[in-house]
Amino acid sequence: MGWHRTMITPPSPLQHNKPSQIQLRQHAQWLLFLIFAITINMVEASLPSLGPWFKPGLANIITLLVLFIWGAKAALILATARVIVSALLIGTLFTPTFIIAISATLSSTLVMVIFYMLIPKPKTITISLLGATVHITVQFIVVETLFIQQHALYYLLPPLLFLACITGWLNGAIAAYTLKHFSLRGLNNQL
Amino acid sequence: MVNPHPHLSIGDDFLKELRGHRSDRLLLLILLITISCSWFWLQHQLNSREPVLYIYHQQTLLAYYPLMDSREKTIQIQGELGNISLQINASGAHITHSNCSRKACMQQHIIHPGEMIACVPNEIFMIIRGSNEEIQWDGIAQ
């Protein structure tokens, strides 16, 4: 996918000095992505759990799309805003669930951003796999350190990491497919 | 819109993405090997003798009960949000009542060594471990 680096518009959608019409459009499109991510997050939260502490992380597809379209800053702000707004709407702000979610999301997005910048030709599946495994690992570290304080908790980590690999791969493939179709329809040029 | 691959349907196109690249498959292989090794190592750490249920509040061990005892018992545990009711019998242990909002802890039923229930809002953690001792007691509360 050769469009990765060449088609990303350099100005971030979050810049504030005299926005042009293109920048305003970028702001609006970024907000649309944010609303979509929050919706996915809330739908996921309302669905019956696939197991304790396990979610497919579908909202991460949007973070991946934003990272590959607009870059690191836009992706980090979107991921943070998504967790905060979702927690506000669900009513879990500053609860243990929120603390676990915000720390895991920030760490996984940060790792995705670092590898996106380090790898010469980053692939969505590679970045998504890394994000998913870091997300679940950080969740365990936070729960163990702040709430449960039992090392035995890590017995549960390998099966959940295995599931994270599956969902990470799937989310990466969905993101790659979506990006390809954005590219096919010329939407990357608009963004 | 011009489809550059007219012979590919949407399904085929997605399957092509799903296969991933060589670097993706290599990363997945490394991750799976690491996860499998750690999983086997953790399983090896667990003793397969008489299963005993250990109940903790943060780092404090509240009580431990042998699971081979066929008598059913319900115990109350004081968590951060209130009392938790735990039912223990020969077929394992499960939480029957908790004041936490999501009740995820109530969906779990544990019986084998290594299985655990964690109620994060109540900061209560339960795990079944194998015991190295000959068990001749019903339970010990601390």
Side-chain angles (χ1 to χ4, degrees):
Chain A
M1 287 185 280
W3 46 265
H4 283 323
R5 293 290 161 90
T6 51
M7 297 192 88
I8 297 165
T9 322
S12 159
L14 306 170
Q15 281 181 352
H16 293 294
N17 46 346
K18 289 181 187 175
S20 65
Q21 202 168 2
I22 293 167
Q23 282 175 322
L24 278 173
R25 181 184 277 187
Q26 285 181 346
H27 279 258
Q29 284 165 338
W30 181 87
L31 273 171
L32 203 67
F33 273 80
L34 176 63
I35 292 165
F36 197 37
I38 292 165
T39 311
I40 294 174
N41 217 34
M42 292 188 66
V43 169
E44 259 190 343
S46 63
L47 286 174
S49 175
L50 297 173
W53 309 356
F54 182 75
K55 281 181 187 177
L58 295 172
N60 200 41
I61 297 170
I62 308 296
T63 312
L64 271 171
L65 291 176
V66 170
L67 177 64
F68 277 76
I69 295 167
W70 284 302
K73 192 178 168 188
L76 272 167
I77 297 172
L78 180 125
T80 314
R82 183 211 353 133
V83 176
I84 294 171
V85 176
S86 299
L88 264 170
L89 294 172
I90 300 167
T92 57
L93 197 65
F94 305 123
T95 61
T97 314
F98 171 75
I99 295 165
I100 298 163
I102 192 89
S103 31
T105 304
L106 276 179
S107 329
S108 64
T109 312
L110 209 61
V111 167
M112 292 200 301
V113 162
I114 290 167
F115 278 90
Y116 172 78
M117 289 161 112
L118 286 179
I119 299 172
K121 281 182 183 174
K123 307 283 187 293
T124 50
I125 292 179
T126 310
I127 304 295
S128 176
L129 267 175
L130 290 165
T133 48
V134 168
H135 193 278
I136 195 81
T137 310
V138 170
Q139 272 189 328
F140 270 78
I141 293 169
V142 171
V143 170
E144 201 275 329
T145 313
L146 297 181
F147 304 108
I148 302 292
Q149 294 161 9
Q150 287 296 323
H151 293 310
L153 200 67
Y154 292 113
Y155 290 147
L156 207 62
L157 186 56
L160 287 175
L161 271 171
F162 181 73
L163 287 173
C165 284
I166 298 171
T167 54
W169 188 283
L170 277 173
N171 290 346
I174 294 169
Y177 178 81
T178 313
L179 280 168
K180 196 175 174 185
H181 280 257
F182 269 122
S183 177
L184 280 175
R185 291 172 190 180
L187 284 177
N188 264 339
N189 291 327
Q190 285 181 30
L191 299 171
Chain B
M1 185 187 79
V2 180
N3 186 353
H5 308 289
H7 57 286
L8 287 177
S9 69
I10 291 173
D12 292 335
D13 215 10
F14 179 68
L15 283 176
K16 197 179 155 209
E17 295 297 340
L18 201 58
R19 267 183 234 126
H21 296 263
R22 195 185 293 170
S23 59
D24 300 329
R25 288 194 283 265
L26 183 69
L27 176 67
L28 183 68
L29 186 71
I30 293 167
L31 285 172
L32 289 179
I33 290 170
T34 315
I35 293 165
S36 305
C37 290
S38 60
W39 202 344
F40 282 120
W41 182 77
L42 285 171
Q43 286 300 317
H44 184 70
Q45 297 293 309
L46 293 164
N47 200 316
S48 59
R49 293 188 195 178
E50 301 284 336
V52 176
L53 175 73
Y54 292 82
I55 304 164
Y56 296 89
H57 176 248
Q58 295 177 346
Q59 284 183 306
T60 313
L61 177 65
L62 298 177
Y64 45 107
Y65 295 89
L67 290 178
M68 300 307 282
D69 184 3
S70 58
R71 283 169 295 178
E72 186 171 291
K73 45 188 163 284
T74 303
I75 58 165
Q76 300 291 321
I77 307 157
Q78 183 65 44
E80 293 294 309
L81 302 177
N83 271 347
I84 291 177
S85 298
L86 177 73
Q87 200 170 67
I88 307 168
N89 54 35
S91 66
H94 70 278
I95 292 175
T96 53
H97 170 77
S98 171
N99 284 333
C100 59
S101 57
R102 293 182 63 201
K103 317 266 186 219
C105 54
M106 289 174 66
Q107 295 169 14
Q108 293 162 270
H109 184 102
I110 54 174
I111 182 160
H112 301 295
E115 291 179 342
M116 63 190 78
I117 299 175
C119 183
V120 176
N122 276 301
E123 297 184 14
I124 295 291
F125 176 72
M126 298 158 211
I127 183 165
I128 299 175
R129 291 196 184 105
S131 170
N132 290 318
E133 306 158 15
E134 190 71 30
I135 297 170
Q136 289 174 341
W137 34 268
D138 294 337
I140 294 174
Q142 298 193 344

